[in-house]
Amino acid sequence: MLSICRADPFSSESQTLISALADSLLKLSGNQAVEQFDETEFNHHTGVFLLVKNQEQAIACGGFRYLQPGVCEIKRLFSNQAGAGTLVLQALEQLAVERGYQQINLATRKVNHQAIQFYQKHGYQTTAPFGPYTRHQHYLSLAKSSPLLAQAAVPKKAQWHYRNCA
């Protein structure tokens, strides 16, 4: 059974997946895209970082951080097992809604066609660049807002169990 747990982004399990994502981005785009990622933003009460585990092995990760009132930003969504990315995205959306966010923003490299298709399949739509991404033409900004966010943020809880990581 897959489980989702709130994790410290500095933990060795989290760092292993974050590094795997950085390596895949380096191969894809020539850059690890770590310049807009600060682990400390996910340990605050306005953010969260999650791991998906399969029999206690971390297979996917992702988090969101506060961006502005009512808006958070998803960062470091990565999976090395089919279906686990969707699971972490659904859990992040649910937690964002529970914390009062009405919109989720994210940015991904334009060359990352797989990520763009994944997010669009889950209801994210192209939006104007935001924050630091206004200065970087190689990013595509996407967003999902109410009521789509509230509708999508009802994952099938029978498929997963949420707990704190040990």
Side-chain angles (χ1 to χ4, degrees):
M1 177 178 184
L2 296 180
S3 64
I4 298 175
C5 58
R6 183 177 177 144
D8 181 346
F10 290 105
S11 74
S12 62
E13 290 178 306
S14 298
Q15 287 295 307
T16 296
L17 289 170
I18 291 168
S19 292
L21 172 60
D23 290 345
S24 70
L25 291 173
L26 180 62
K27 289 175 188 168
L28 181 67
S29 68
N31 184 303
Q32 292 181 319
V34 295
E35 67 274 2
Q36 304 302 329
F37 180 66
D38 178 1
E39 287 94 337
T40 62
E41 294 178 297
F42 300 91
N43 282 331
H44 194 267
H45 71 277
T46 57
V48 68
F49 195 81
L50 302 177
L51 291 178
V52 175
K53 292 188 173 189
N54 185 358
Q55 300 180 10
E56 297 307 309
Q57 178 162 351
I59 59 169
C61 66
F64 64 74
R65 65 180 178 185
Y66 172 86
L67 192 59
Q68 63 189 45
V71 182
C72 64
E73 178 186 9
I74 286 183
K75 298 292 291 179
R76 296 296 153 212
L77 186 65
F78 176 76
S79 171
N80 58 21
Q81 181 175 311
T86 296
L87 194 58
V88 75
L89 179 63
Q90 289 174 334
L92 289 169
E93 288 176 347
Q94 179 179 345
L95 291 170
V97 169
E98 288 174 5
R99 292 188 183 193
Y101 290 111
Q102 294 91 38
Q103 181 171 309
I104 297 176
N105 285 9
L106 62 93
T108 190
R109 301 271 174 153
K110 290 179 180 177
V111 298
N112 195 345
H113 303 289
Q114 183 178 3
I116 293 167
Q117 290 173 349
F118 172 81
Y119 289 119
Q120 288 176 333
K121 178 177 118 180
H122 291 284
Y124 287 79
Q125 298 177 347
T126 303
T127 190
F130 62 93
Y133 308 107
T134 59
R135 299 184 307 269
H136 300 283
Q137 298 302 315
H138 50 274
Y139 280 101
L140 177 67
S141 295
L142 301 160
K144 187 175 191 178
S145 57
S146 299
L148 288 176
L149 184 58
Q151 291 171 358
V154 186
K156 298 174 184 102
K157 284 213 174 215
Q159 295 178 1
W160 59 276
H161 171 70
Y162 179 74
R163 62 183 171 82
N164 286 324
C165 292

